[in-house]
Amino acid sequence: MKLLIVNPNTSSAMTEGIGRAAQAVAAPGTRIVATQPSFGPLSIEGHFDETIAAAGVAEQVRLHAGPDVVDAPSGIVIACFGDPGLDAAREAATAPVLGIAEAAFHAASFLATGFSVVTTMTRTCVIAEHLVQKYGFEHRCRGVHGTDIPVLALEDGGAGCVDAIEAAAREALARDRSGAIVLGCAGMAALCATLSARLGVPVIDGVAAAVKFAEALAALGLQTGKQGDYARPLPKVYTGWAAPLGW
Amino acid sequence: MKLLIVNPNTSSAMTEGIGRAAQAVAAPGTRIVATQPSFGPLSIEGHFDETIAAAGVAEQVRLHAGPDVVDAPSGIVIACFGDPGLDAAREAATAPVLGIAEAAFHAASFLATGFSVVTTMTRTCVIAEHLVQKYGFEHRCRGVHGTDIPVLALEDGGAGCVDAIEAAAREALARDRSGAIVLGCAGMAALCATLSARLGVPVIDGVAAAVKFAEALAALGLQTGKQGDYARPLPKVYTGWAAPLGW
Amino acid sequence: MKLLIVNPNTSSAMTEGIGRAAQAVAAPGTRIVATQPSFGPLSIEGHFDETIAAAGVAEQVRLHAGPDVVDAPSGIVIACFGDPGLDAAREAATAPVLGIAEAAFHAASFLATGFSVVTTMTRTCVIAEHLVQKYGFEHRCRGVHGTDIPVLALEDGGAGCVDAIEAAAREALARDRSGAIVLGCAGMAALCATLSARLGVPVIDGVAAAVKFAEALAALGLQTGKQGDYARPLPKVYTGWAAPLGW
Amino acid sequence: MKLLIVNPNTSSAMTEGIGRAAQAVAAPGTRIVATQPSFGPLSIEGHFDETIAAAGVAEQVRLHAGPDVVDAPSGIVIACFGDPGLDAAREAATAPVLGIAEAAFHAASFLATGFSVVTTMTRTCVIAEHLVQKYGFEHRCRGVHGTDIPVLALEDGGAGCVDAIEAAAREALARDRSGAIVLGCAGMAALCATLSARLGVPVIDGVAAAVKFAEALAALGLQTGKQGDYARPLPKVYTGWAAPLGW
Amino acid sequence: MKLLIVNPNTSSAMTEGIGRAAQAVAAPGTRIVATQPSFGPLSIEGHFDETIAAAGVAEQVRLHAGPDVVDAPSGIVIACFGDPGLDAAREAATAPVLGIAEAAFHAASFLATGFSVVTTMTRTCVIAEHLVQKYGFEHRCRGVHGTDIPVLALEDGGAGCVDAIEAAAREALARDRSGAIVLGCAGMAALCATLSARLGVPVIDGVAAAVKFAEALAALGLQTGKQGDYARPLPKVYTGWAAPLGW
Amino acid sequence: MKLLIVNPNTSSAMTEGIGRAAQAVAAPGTRIVATQPSFGPLSIEGHFDETIAAAGVAEQVRLHAGPDVVDAPSGIVIACFGDPGLDAAREAATAPVLGIAEAAFHAASFLATGFSVVTTMTRTCVIAEHLVQKYGFEHRCRGVHGTDIPVLALEDGGAGCVDAIEAAAREALARDRSGAIVLGCAGMAALCATLSARLGVPVIDGVAAAVKFAEALAALGLQTGKQGDYARPLPKVYTGWAAPLGW
């Protein structure tokens, strides 16, 4: 089975890191293909970054999983916690598409009556909160907490990052009366095991959760529903750099 | 990996059927153990049946996955669409526990912006609706529809059952503007492939979804959060038939 | 008029205490019959306890208020703050059935725009919160607060208990901007008058509220609606210890 | 015990009728005093009528249950389905105050998982819907249905009225999958028994429900919470016709 | 264009002040007519005050914008943060009617993902919270905060008032993670510019917002919808002081 | 005052049409500048189209209203009913930014207790429904109805289009019990007056509403809140075609 992992930002190092993290949790027969947009921000830390990145996700899914693609993936993961471009990707593909925020929220709901999110920049908390509202997790998600660690600092982030995230998680668990922690950034994947061991509660990395759930859906032969609003896009002319993305 | 499938009713035929359905979708290395309570109703078609069955689920999880059990399962599935005893099971076990209604709702949410549930007795629709509300799927679930097929009729239910469910599903898809169908009874598992082929939309059987999601969580080493309200039950004397269930 | 008070746990001392508390507030012509399940936990302090106790409530209502019972009660009260077995009891009986959490929430809503709940173990707060959500009191209930007093300690709980509950209530009133306190455990009934005097706000004991509301409904000749999901259970074989509960 | 029933409109015939209906369901020791504003509309069939009537309710509660009143009532009922002036009345009085819409919604919630409201003018449905939202009954109330019978036609309304309401109720029960009917106008009180007999489901008249719930709260010594927003109004000069209502 | 500004309380000084504030922000061609009820409280600081004031608003709109009025206004503003009498005014008038709380909430939603309200008496916070719930701003409004400055103290309130409100606003912005402040009292209009300059975030005065939005709607020729529940009131006799308000 | 109107699709004819419609309702001193992205779909009829178009909106706002722009606009309108790129535009600009769906919903809420949306393709209804949920209009918006008129057919759409939309609006008003109609596509602006005259209820065109509300906010000196999540984007490298959009 082939899974496409789309890193919505344009940091090649992060694309590779996410690809490795995905392969590490994938089943023996699963082949991970990690990709990134041909344009856009090096990291995603706000609405503007995310809007450009969402178009980048749409581009990549169009190119790797559109109707005319040979050897299309059996599942697709969008590896940024804002789930940019999720609806567009589902419209463009037939394989199931999962966002990592979504996957993490679902996983946490199976393990605790309430969970807390620990993320990077405080200014992005509202993005996670909007997803919580949109997806229906308002009773499960008891808090979204920023640590103000820049996304790119996570890459070489040693003990300092882990300690800061651990501290934020401990405070969140106590204040929110939560039973699980969701890591609010794809770049935190590598810290998941350490944090889980330190905190003694389930710590959920959305990349891992999305990969396993995508495998699960694909194994059951389930695909994106093509009746209704996720139907194939209508035939349409696109202009400018987006011309090749037309339908 | 061992998965425990608890059929909350006391129909051995249904327990076996659910076990077979679970094994059919399980990964090569997964061993399914199907069980049923030592007491309770032959089928679950209302609140009273379900309340007794929930105690039966608690009994079975206590016996097969309690703290003193050797070779405890890596994941547990409660195979009745009302998810009876789900919170009790999570408190009693450390392995992740999934209800099939819950798993089906989550799976459908990955595949369509809106889904409809087709279930058995109309009088049980409110049970599904309460779960939809409790779990936060009120925007995703656009309708719960009864067919008034008795649960036990599904076992030997030939073409008549399939046709009736297909008709209800078609009406639901149109009226609810839905993109996927959730089957509202563990006894419908065998009909899933046929219905999916006929309807042309994703049709989700909760047993299959729960088995795959349980495998996914277990593969990641995720367990039920033991901090907070899913902590191990407090030491306590139980009396009467329930004496062996004390903590 | 006869009212059946079901204590869902198996502490005879608590059953007697609740019965006395109920009789103390009942109208002159009301006769209280207090009962408890033939099995189950001595106290209810978590999901597992509650799931077994719910089956005990179903058993008692079946035996004391089922269709073949002579001199069935005119109203039924479930005297544990999690309202275990409420839907099952309503299905089994024709008399109105009230849970004490439900009754207390309703009473508080008549007296204040916002109320706070003070309960026993913190780990049970989520049970009350789920009821708040299910019943629709999310705007009225401004907080649920644990005191970590074990349920059985309330029985012989002298000044220490009252002081601890008073302190928690004072903090809740201030922090939640609430105008009334709901006592989150049937075992707190005896403390209601003292707390009310000390706090200067309405303090609501669910047992008392449920008894009076049950009398009110019964006096109007109102009964549980037998059309729809509270209709009499369908004929069904039950097995094991539950065999006598079949329909 | 004395209960004050405030008819918010200025139809003396309706005030007397409501008073009789209230006395008919009151306990032996309860004395009903029915009153109406000194000004305002003859019936309430829209927002403007209701806003003037709410001031009339405030006037009557101020005069009959204000702080300087001798022999103040032990409970107060506002007998119009829009619950006009409810918050003002609670601020002015110390006795518990109940609106009949509120009381009926609470009563119905004890008897069915879902209920429907049948009311008079279709244009007033939104008033009931706003109350449903404000009080938190959005999951319980499955529909509000107008019959376009004018309020005053109910007084001499013979078989025609009953038949029209019965028909609307039957359609509501089926379409809403409801288990109980709430009568959406104080003027329908006299039809409650007939409708209940014909429909075979609980039919709730808010006047009766409010009287019994007020008796229940009063018997427990419960009063409106005077801490927070229902505290006694601040000292204040009122001018014009309202001068005597100042504090 | 003529705009009618109704000050719901009976303080002539405040009516004049609000009129001046409205004129100051009005377009060159807009003529402001400020009025106040012929009766009622000098200021509005609770439910009782507000209920009487709502009738006063209804009176003024009936007299200045009813069906038989020559030179009726093109837009109407209700200048008290509880929006008293809003639905009645819309029923009575054809011009668009805006409450200042409503207008401020809408304006803030255009400028920030979350806003906080800073108001006068803490006991009135619940009035604003009810409006937030009724209007659907529960995700946007992150907190309502009282300063316990009496409404009438705002009139001659010098630096002390501004400082107290600024302090409350700063705390609200930090605690609620908000991006804008809504002033919760018409009497705060004069402080808006100062607070905006000091706080560095948008500070919204509802009077100004309502005036500009009313101008906007009127310029588009939009009027209150007269189909449905805002239709002209039904013909009806009113009695007592309200006799001239009948329809 | 200069207002920037961004047409998110790349149809120049539609950009001109929207610009004319905006200028037609603008105040005398307002200058409308209409623009469109340098890339993307000719019309927006699904999630994929919209995601690419959102990036186009971000591009245009960055270029016309970014921090280094001389003569930046005083207000910005996004003229597609899905409000694509709204949060990104608010982050990029300091002037207030309004989406036309948002503006139309707000306008309708001032004029009726409930409104219905009539839009183009049925498959886009879910986009409007998600906005309704995100913005908090779930109680006001009583239905979203597709006509399956393609967006580009509206341009030369004569009587046929108007008749189809009128028919859909009439059915919506009756079925939803609504008092106003919101036109769910910028391309319907030219039909607004005709439909309003025919239907006899307020018909709201989002372009007009957004222009007037933007003028209103700008006249008050209100700007997007730059504290919190709408703060200026963090400095960041963008790559590919998006390189000039970096911060």
Side-chain angles (χ1 to χ4, degrees):
Chain A
M1 174 188 313
K2 180 169 90 174
L3 292 189
L4 177 71
I5 315 292
V6 184
N7 171 23
N9 71 34
T10 53
S11 158
S12 303
M14 196 172 276
T15 304
E16 282 167 35
I18 291 171
R20 276 195 306 274
Q23 192 68 65
V25 299
T30 300
R31 182 163 53 96
I32 300 292
V33 175
T35 186
Q36 69 187 47
S38 69
F39 61 88
L42 266 183
S43 66
I44 301 175
E45 295 171 314
H47 301 293
F48 194 92
D49 294 344
E50 183 165 290
T51 297
I52 301 299
V57 169
E59 175 209 46
Q60 290 301 303
V61 173
R62 176 79 177 91
L63 299 179
H64 287 81
D68 40 2
V69 170
V70 182
D71 185 29
S74 299
I76 300 169
V77 170
I78 301 175
C80 169
F81 204 75
D83 294 354
L86 182 57
D87 284 324
R90 284 184 176 150
E91 209 179 68
T94 51
V97 184
L98 281 83
I100 66 168
E102 179 186 49
F105 295 159
H106 286 261
S109 296
F110 291 133
L111 303 172
T113 50
F115 62 83
S116 300
V117 179
V118 177
T119 186
T120 53
M121 306 306 284
T122 300
R123 64 183 288 162
T124 66
C125 287
V126 79
I127 297 179
E129 287 164 354
H130 284 173
L131 292 180
V132 163
Q133 180 193 351
K134 182 179 179 189
Y135 298 156
F137 290 97
E138 288 173 287
H139 286 101
R140 299 282 183 154
C141 178
R142 298 204 181 133
V144 178
H145 307 271
T147 56
D148 286 323
I149 301 172
V151 169
L152 295 179
L154 286 170
E155 279 185 48
D156 37 37
C161 280
V162 186
D163 292 350
I165 296 170
E166 180 190 355
R170 284 197 188 283
E171 196 187 323
L173 287 168
R175 196 165 63 177
D176 300 345
R177 255 200 283 133
S178 287
I181 291 290
V182 164
L183 299 178
C185 180
M188 293 177 177
L191 315 176
C192 186
T194 305
L195 286 164
S196 185
R198 289 198 196 172
L199 293 167
V201 300
V203 177
I204 293 133
D205 161 44
V207 176
V211 165
K212 299 311 284 182
F213 287 163
E215 287 181 338
L217 294 170
L220 293 175
L222 287 169
Q223 296 193 316
T224 299
K226 284 293 151 184
Q227 192 163 301
D229 61 295
Y230 285 152
R232 174 76 46 83
L234 297 171
K236 189 151 303 178
V237 170
Y238 275 57
T239 65
W241 70 262
L245 304 184
W247 296 89
Chain B
M1 174 189 312
K2 181 168 90 174
L3 291 189
L4 178 70
I5 315 292
V6 184
N7 170 23
N9 72 33
T10 53
S11 160
S12 303
M14 194 172 277
T15 304
E16 282 168 34
I18 291 170
R20 274 194 307 273
Q23 192 69 65
V25 300
T30 300
R31 183 162 51 97
I32 299 293
V33 176
T35 185
Q36 69 186 49
S38 70
F39 60 87
L42 266 183
S43 66
I44 300 174
E45 296 172 314
H47 301 293
F48 195 92
D49 295 344
E50 183 164 290
T51 297
I52 302 298
V57 169
E59 176 209 45
Q60 290 301 304
V61 173
R62 176 80 176 90
L63 298 180
H64 288 82
D68 40 2
V69 170
V70 182
D71 185 29
S74 298
I76 301 169
V77 170
I78 301 176
C80 169
F81 204 75
D83 293 354
L86 182 58
D87 284 324
R90 284 183 176 152
E91 208 179 69
T94 51
V97 184
L98 281 83
I100 64 168
E102 179 186 49
F105 295 159
H106 286 261
S109 297
F110 290 133
L111 303 172
T113 50
F115 62 83
S116 300
V117 179
V118 176
T119 185
T120 53
M121 308 305 286
T122 300
R123 66 183 287 162
T124 66
C125 286
V126 79
I127 296 179
E129 288 165 353
H130 284 172
L131 292 181
V132 164
Q133 179 193 353
K134 182 178 178 188
Y135 297 155
F137 290 97
E138 289 173 286
H139 286 101
R140 299 281 182 155
C141 178
R142 298 204 181 134
V144 179
H145 307 271
T147 56
D148 287 322
I149 301 172
V151 169
L152 295 179
L154 286 170
E155 279 185 49
D156 37 37
C161 279
V162 185
D163 292 350
I165 295 171
E166 181 191 354
R170 284 196 189 282
E171 196 188 322
L173 287 169
R175 196 165 63 178
D176 299 345
R177 254 201 282 135
S178 287
I181 291 290
V182 164
L183 299 178
C185 180
M188 292 177 177
L191 315 177
C192 186
T194 304
L195 286 165
S196 185
R198 289 198 195 171
L199 293 167
V201 299
V203 177
I204 293 133
D205 161 44
V207 176
V211 165
K212 299 311 286 182
F213 287 162
E215 286 180 340
L217 296 169
L220 293 174
L222 287 168
Q223 295 193 315
T224 300
K226 285 293 152 184
Q227 193 163 302
D229 61 294
Y230 286 152
R232 174 74 47 82
L234 297 170
K236 190 150 305 176
V237 170
Y238 275 57
T239 65
W241 70 261
L245 305 184
W247 296 89
Chain C
M1 174 188 314
K2 183 169 88 174
L3 291 189
L4 178 70
I5 315 292
V6 184
N7 170 22
N9 71 34
T10 53
S11 158
S12 303
M14 195 171 277
T15 303
E16 282 168 35
I18 291 170
R20 274 194 308 273
Q23 191 69 64
V25 300
T30 299
R31 183 163 53 95
I32 299 292
V33 175
T35 186
Q36 69 187 48
S38 70
F39 61 87
L42 266 183
S43 66
I44 300 174
E45 295 172 314
H47 300 292
F48 194 92
D49 294 345
E50 183 166 289
T51 296
I52 302 298
V57 169
E59 175 209 46
Q60 290 301 304
V61 173
R62 175 80 177 90
L63 299 180
H64 287 82
D68 41 2
V69 169
V70 183
D71 186 29
S74 299
I76 300 169
V77 170
I78 301 176
C80 168
F81 204 75
D83 294 353
L86 182 57
D87 285 323
R90 283 184 178 152
E91 208 180 69
T94 51
V97 184
L98 281 83
I100 65 169
E102 179 186 49
F105 294 158
H106 286 261
S109 297
F110 290 133
L111 303 172
T113 49
F115 62 83
S116 300
V117 179
V118 177
T119 187
T120 52
M121 306 306 285
T122 300
R123 64 182 289 163
T124 67
C125 287
V126 78
I127 296 178
E129 288 165 352
H130 284 172
L131 293 179
V132 164
Q133 179 193 353
K134 182 178 178 187
Y135 296 157
F137 290 97
E138 288 173 287
H139 286 101
R140 299 283 182 153
C141 178
R142 299 203 181 133
V144 178
H145 307 270
T147 56
D148 287 323
I149 302 173
V151 170
L152 295 178
L154 286 170
E155 279 184 48
D156 37 37
C161 280
V162 186
D163 292 351
I165 295 170
E166 181 191 353
R170 284 196 188 283
E171 196 188 323
L173 287 168
R175 196 165 62 178
D176 300 345
R177 255 200 283 132
S178 288
I181 290 290
V182 164
L183 300 178
C185 180
M188 292 177 177
L191 315 177
C192 185
T194 304
L195 286 164
S196 183
R198 289 199 195 171
L199 293 168
V201 299
V203 177
I204 293 134
D205 161 43
V207 176
V211 165
K212 299 311 285 182
F213 287 163
E215 286 180 339
L217 295 169
L220 293 175
L222 287 169
Q223 296 193 315
T224 300
K226 285 294 151 183
Q227 192 163 302
D229 62 294
Y230 285 152
R232 174 75 46 83
L234 297 171
K236 189 149 305 174
V237 171
Y238 275 57
T239 64
W241 70 260
L245 304 184
W247 295 90
Chain D
M1 173 189 313
K2 182 169 89 172
L3 292 189
L4 178 71
I5 316 290
V6 184
N7 171 23
N9 72 33
T10 53
S11 159
S12 303
M14 196 171 276
T15 304
E16 283 168 34
I18 291 170
R20 275 194 308 273
Q23 192 68 66
V25 300
T30 300
R31 183 163 52 95
I32 300 293
V33 175
T35 186
Q36 69 187 48
S38 69
F39 61 87
L42 267 183
S43 66
I44 300 174
E45 295 171 313
H47 300 294
F48 194 92
D49 295 345
E50 183 165 291
T51 297
I52 302 299
V57 169
E59 176 209 45
Q60 290 300 304
V61 172
R62 176 79 176 89
L63 298 180
H64 287 81
D68 40 2
V69 170
V70 182
D71 186 29
S74 299
I76 301 169
V77 170
I78 301 175
C80 169
F81 204 75
D83 294 353
L86 181 57
D87 284 325
R90 284 184 177 151
E91 208 180 70
T94 51
V97 185
L98 282 82
I100 66 168
E102 179 186 49
F105 295 159
H106 285 261
S109 297
F110 290 134
L111 303 171
T113 49
F115 62 84
S116 300
V117 179
V118 177
T119 186
T120 52
M121 307 306 284
T122 301
R123 66 183 288 163
T124 65
C125 287
V126 78
I127 297 179
E129 287 164 354
H130 284 173
L131 293 180
V132 163
Q133 179 193 352
K134 183 178 177 188
Y135 297 156
F137 290 98
E138 289 173 287
H139 286 101
R140 299 283 183 154
C141 179
R142 298 203 181 134
V144 179
H145 306 271
T147 56
D148 286 322
I149 301 172
V151 168
L152 295 178
L154 286 170
E155 279 185 47
D156 37 37
C161 279
V162 185
D163 292 351
I165 296 170
E166 181 191 354
R170 283 196 189 282
E171 196 187 322
L173 288 168
R175 196 165 61 179
D176 300 346
R177 254 200 283 134
S178 287
I181 291 290
V182 164
L183 299 178
C185 180
M188 292 178 178
L191 314 177
C192 186
T194 304
L195 286 164
S196 184
R198 288 198 196 172
L199 293 168
V201 300
V203 177
I204 292 134
D205 161 45
V207 176
V211 165
K212 299 310 287 181
F213 287 163
E215 286 180 338
L217 295 169
L220 294 175
L222 287 169
Q223 296 194 315
T224 300
K226 285 294 151 185
Q227 192 162 303
D229 62 296
Y230 285 152
R232 174 74 48 82
L234 297 171
K236 189 152 305 175
V237 171
Y238 276 57
T239 66
W241 70 260
L245 305 184
W247 295 89
Chain E
M1 173 187 316
K2 181 168 89 172
L3 291 190
L4 177 70
I5 315 290
V6 185
N7 170 23
N9 72 34
T10 53
S11 159
S12 303
M14 195 172 278
T15 303
E16 283 166 35
I18 291 171
R20 275 194 307 273
Q23 192 68 66
V25 300
T30 299
R31 183 163 52 94
I32 299 292
V33 175
T35 187
Q36 69 186 49
S38 70
F39 61 87
L42 267 183
S43 67
I44 300 174
E45 294 171 314
H47 301 294
F48 194 92
D49 295 344
E50 183 166 290
T51 297
I52 302 299
V57 169
E59 176 210 43
Q60 290 301 304
V61 173
R62 176 80 177 90
L63 298 180
H64 288 81
D68 40 2
V69 170
V70 182
D71 186 30
S74 299
I76 301 169
V77 170
I78 302 176
C80 168
F81 204 75
D83 294 352
L86 181 58
D87 284 324
R90 285 185 176 150
E91 209 179 68
T94 50
V97 184
L98 281 83
I100 65 168
E102 180 187 47
F105 295 159
H106 285 261
S109 297
F110 290 134
L111 304 171
T113 50
F115 62 84
S116 300
V117 179
V118 176
T119 186
T120 52
M121 307 305 284
T122 300
R123 65 181 289 163
T124 66
C125 287
V126 79
I127 296 178
E129 288 164 353
H130 284 172
L131 293 180
V132 164
Q133 178 193 353
K134 183 179 178 188
Y135 298 156
F137 290 97
E138 288 173 287
H139 287 101
R140 299 281 183 157
C141 179
R142 299 205 180 132
V144 179
H145 307 271
T147 55
D148 287 323
I149 301 172
V151 170
L152 295 179
L154 287 170
E155 280 184 48
D156 38 38
C161 279
V162 185
D163 292 350
I165 296 169
E166 181 191 354
R170 284 197 188 282
E171 196 187 323
L173 287 168
R175 197 166 61 178
D176 300 345
R177 255 200 284 133
S178 287
I181 290 290
V182 164
L183 299 178
C185 180
M188 292 177 177
L191 315 177
C192 187
T194 305
L195 287 164
S196 184
R198 290 199 196 170
L199 293 167
V201 299
V203 177
I204 292 135
D205 160 44
V207 176
V211 165
K212 298 311 284 182
F213 287 162
E215 286 180 337
L217 294 170
L220 294 176
L222 288 169
Q223 295 193 315
T224 299
K226 284 294 151 184
Q227 193 163 303
D229 62 294
Y230 285 152
R232 174 74 46 82
L234 297 171
K236 189 150 305 174
V237 171
Y238 275 56
T239 66
W241 70 261
L245 304 184
W247 297 88
Chain F
M1 172 187 317
K2 181 169 89 172
L3 292 189
L4 177 71
I5 316 291
V6 184
N7 171 23
N9 71 34
T10 53
S11 158
S12 304
M14 195 171 276
T15 303
E16 283 167 34
I18 291 170
R20 276 194 307 273
Q23 191 68 64
V25 300
T30 300
R31 182 162 53 94
I32 300 292
V33 175
T35 186
Q36 69 186 48
S38 70
F39 61 86
L42 266 183
S43 66
I44 301 174
E45 295 171 314
H47 301 293
F48 194 93
D49 294 343
E50 182 165 291
T51 297
I52 301 298
V57 169
E59 175 209 46
Q60 290 301 304
V61 173
R62 176 80 176 89
L63 298 180
H64 288 80
D68 39 2
V69 170
V70 181
D71 186 30
S74 299
I76 301 169
V77 170
I78 301 175
C80 168
F81 204 75
D83 294 354
L86 181 57
D87 284 324
R90 286 185 176 150
E91 209 180 69
T94 50
V97 184
L98 281 83
I100 65 168
E102 180 187 50
F105 295 158
H106 286 262
S109 298
F110 289 134
L111 303 172
T113 49
F115 62 83
S116 299
V117 179
V118 176
T119 187
T120 52
M121 307 306 284
T122 301
R123 65 183 288 163
T124 66
C125 287
V126 78
I127 296 179
E129 287 165 354
H130 284 172
L131 293 180
V132 164
Q133 178 192 354
K134 181 177 178 188
Y135 297 156
F137 290 98
E138 289 173 288
H139 287 101
R140 299 282 182 155
C141 178
R142 298 203 180 135
V144 179
H145 306 271
T147 56
D148 286 323
I149 301 172
V151 169
L152 294 179
L154 286 170
E155 278 184 48
D156 38 36
C161 280
V162 185
D163 292 351
I165 296 169
E166 181 191 354
R170 283 197 190 281
E171 196 187 322
L173 288 168
R175 196 165 62 178
D176 298 346
R177 254 200 282 134
S178 287
I181 291 291
V182 164
L183 298 178
C185 180
M188 293 178 177
L191 314 177
C192 186
T194 304
L195 286 165
S196 185
R198 289 199 196 171
L199 293 168
V201 300
V203 177
I204 293 133
D205 161 43
V207 175
V211 165
K212 299 311 285 183
F213 287 163
E215 286 180 339
L217 294 170
L220 294 174
L222 288 169
Q223 296 193 314
T224 300
K226 286 293 151 186
Q227 191 163 304
D229 60 296
Y230 285 151
R232 174 75 47 83
L234 298 171
K236 189 152 305 177
V237 171
Y238 275 57
T239 65
W241 69 260
L245 306 183
W247 296 90

